[in-house]
Amino acid sequence: MEMLMLILQVIVLLGAIFVGIRLGGIGIGYAGGLGVVILGLCLGMKPGAIPWDVILIIMSVIAAISAMQLAGGLDYLVQIAERILRSNPKYINYLAPTVTYFLTILAGTGHTAFSMIPVIVEVAKEQNIKPSAPLSIAVVASQIAITASPVSAAVVYMTGALEPLGWSYPLLLAIWIPTTFIGCMLTAFVVTMFSNLDLSSDPVYQDRLAKGLVKPAVGAQNMQLKEGAKLSVGIFLIGVLAVVLYATAISKIGGKPVFIENVVVPRDAAIMSFMLGVATFITILCKIEVGKIADSSVFKSGMIACVCVLGVAWLGNTFVDGYKTQIGELSSDLVKQIPALLAVAYFFAATLLYSQAATAKAITPVVITALGISVANPGDSYMIVASFAAVSALFVLPTYPTLLGAVQMDDTGSTRIGHYIFNHAFLIPGVLAIAFSVILGFVAVAFV
């Protein structure tokens, strides 16, 4: 009977995710909520915790970026990024992921990569390079950078979980930023060395070219920036710096606080309030119309992401909480024997939960409990630190917005999804980038 119930619950879990994928976009969140209803009312599972902290951090960061976009700040950043790409176009396979990586580091969301996709396609076409190569690495880099961004919900959660175990906020950033960035660059090297980059040899491109479906490269675009564009970027940068400085000040090294001992405003609340404060200053000083913020592309995509996290993460938490003991026992036996298997668990969970932060929040507490990790016994916590990048496996199913955006905006047809769903342009670069990042993570923690 118990086995039958487990089978039915797994069918509902995977079925809801499948329906969400078929619906696409915000439908993934809708289907996740439906799955919770069926698991709860029909199969007797108690609904899991809703990741409110994750959702609220995403909302507050998106609110600030939306204000910056309306003020023209994103246009200014795109202009800078385009100059970087065009300065050495032959190295676009390295420059494209570098740009999207650091945009995500700054913004705490990979949706900023949307603005770079058309530029990457243009520069690649000018160099007769298949856009699929730089686009695939750039999209993957924008996802992995979430695990190194000081203002991302995933990093905020993980630093809070790991700090009591002796891992300070600045130390974790010092591990995650270089390991993930080098992992992305190593992936770019492999793709560049072992891929056929010649666009003219692609039969799909030639077919689309003959049909007149490929637009000619138009060269650099001279965007007319709004008056407050540069100021809005400056305000946002100050806000991100303030978050980093405050989070460092309240973190602990060797059990002692760095600067602030009696913490009144915790890290989550600080990031949310700082970002809303940034949005306030941009609104006032850059004189934007707040009524138009909800119409911005960043705001729309960010709010869709919140609904997706709400539905899918809630569904995942419901299932994980129902089998917390069994999952804990299994992970304890396997991870103790092969620590890198934790990265595999993160990887497959992220594929289903559709969010780095939601994956970290669903799996990490179970692993900490299963391995007996505590303040008094923090030894095995290094596995979590080293494996964290694996929560970025949002590229496995070709449904993530930036991935779909890259497919749609590449008019050459080189960036495509195969007939078998999984054989798409992003899978191999994504797996490589995560593998390199995790391996480098284990090397890095060995020296700490």
Side-chain angles (χ1 to χ4, degrees):
M1 186 66 182
E2 289 183 4
M3 181 57 69
L4 176 62
M5 187 63 72
L6 172 60
I7 293 171
L8 291 175
Q9 289 163 349
V10 170
I11 290 173
V12 171
L13 173 70
L14 298 180
I17 292 170
F18 176 77
V19 170
I21 291 170
R22 297 287 293 178
L23 292 174
I26 200 170
I28 295 172
Y30 293 165
L34 176 62
V36 174
V37 171
I38 298 173
L39 287 177
L41 297 183
C42 302
L43 299 177
M45 296 195 83
K46 183 180 179 182
I50 300 175
W52 288 117
D53 51 349
V54 172
I55 295 169
L56 293 175
I57 289 173
I58 293 173
M59 287 179 66
S60 58
V61 172
I62 289 296
I65 298 173
S66 300
M68 182 173 69
Q69 182 184 31
L70 196 59
L74 275 187
D75 288 339
Y76 177 54
L77 290 175
V78 169
Q79 198 174 76
I80 294 173
E82 183 171 7
R83 288 173 189 161
I84 294 171
L85 291 179
R86 292 189 181 280
S87 62
N88 287 287
K90 292 182 179 180
Y91 298 103
I92 188 173
N93 285 353
Y94 298 96
L95 293 176
T98 297
V99 167
T100 56
Y101 180 92
F102 283 104
L103 278 176
T104 301
I105 286 279
L106 170 67
T109 170
H111 291 292
T112 51
F114 270 119
S115 57
M116 289 311 306
I117 291 172
V119 180
I120 295 170
V121 172
E122 285 293 307
V123 176
K125 284 195 294 187
E126 290 169 11
Q127 297 298 312
N128 193 38
I129 293 173
K130 288 182 181 179
S132 60
L135 280 178
S136 61
I137 313 165
V139 167
V140 167
S142 72
Q143 294 179 357
I144 290 182
I146 290 291
T147 61
S149 171
V151 292
S152 75
V155 168
V156 172
Y157 170 76
M158 288 297 280
T159 52
L162 290 167
E163 193 172 77
L165 305 176
W167 300 90
S168 68
Y169 178 82
L171 175 60
L172 289 170
L173 289 182
I175 293 172
W176 291 334
I177 292 176
T179 55
T180 53
F181 179 68
I182 295 172
C184 292
M185 291 301 99
L186 288 173
T187 302
F189 174 77
V190 172
V191 170
T192 302
M193 290 293 103
F194 298 100
S195 298
N196 176 14
L197 301 178
D198 184 11
L199 178 59
S200 60
S201 68
D202 190 323
V204 175
Y205 166 69
Q206 292 295 344
D207 181 60
R208 291 180 62 82
L209 191 64
K211 293 177 180 178
L213 300 176
V214 181
K215 297 176 183 177
V218 296
Q221 299 294 301
N222 295 314
M223 289 180 287
Q224 188 66 38
L225 294 176
K226 295 181 180 179
E227 188 177 340
K230 295 180 181 179
L231 177 59
S232 67
V233 172
I235 294 170
F236 190 83
L237 284 172
I238 291 171
V240 172
L241 181 61
V243 167
V244 174
L245 292 176
Y246 181 79
T248 300
I250 65 173
S251 65
K252 295 180 179 180
I253 297 178
K256 297 180 180 179
V258 176
F259 290 113
I260 302 174
E261 186 168 357
N262 298 317
V263 179
V264 177
V265 182
R267 190 176 289 120
D268 292 18
I271 288 180
M272 288 185 274
S273 58
F274 280 26
M275 288 293 103
L276 293 176
V278 163
T280 303
F281 282 117
I282 291 175
T283 302
I284 295 172
L285 298 178
C286 300
K287 301 176 182 178
I288 64 174
E289 296 181 42
V290 290
K292 293 182 178 180
I293 290 178
D295 295 325
S296 69
S297 60
V298 169
F299 187 88
K300 290 177 180 178
S301 61
M303 293 308 110
I304 288 172
C306 287
V307 175
C308 290
V309 170
L310 170 61
V312 178
W314 194 11
L315 173 66
N317 286 345
T318 298
F319 184 83
V320 170
D321 286 353
Y323 291 96
K324 187 178 293 184
T325 303
Q326 294 88 333
I327 293 172
E329 290 173 353
L330 180 63
S331 62
S332 175
D333 294 337
L334 294 176
V335 173
K336 279 185 177 179
Q337 295 175 24
I338 308 174
L341 284 179
L342 176 55
V344 176
Y346 275 144
F347 184 97
F348 285 107
T351 299
L352 300 178
L353 296 182
Y354 212 63
S355 162
Q356 292 93 335
T359 301
K361 193 163 187 179
I363 302 298
T364 305
V366 177
V367 171
I368 288 175
T369 302
L371 296 179
I373 299 172
S374 63
V375 176
N377 182 33
D380 289 337
S381 60
Y382 77 91
M383 302 177 190
I384 300 171
V385 178
S387 303
F388 180 41
V391 303
S392 302
L394 311 185
F395 53 80
V396 176
L397 296 172
T399 56
Y400 201 72
T402 48
L403 187 154
L404 293 175
V407 173
Q408 292 164 2
M409 293 184 205
D410 179 9
D411 60 355
T412 69
S414 69
T415 310
R416 49 187 178 261
I417 298 171
H419 294 295
Y420 303 104
I421 301 177
F422 293 101
N423 59 328
H424 53 78
F426 307 86
L427 184 62
I428 293 176
V431 172
L432 284 174
I434 284 182
F436 284 136
S437 298
V438 170
I439 291 169
L440 290 169
F442 276 99
V443 172
V445 297
F447 290 96
V448 177

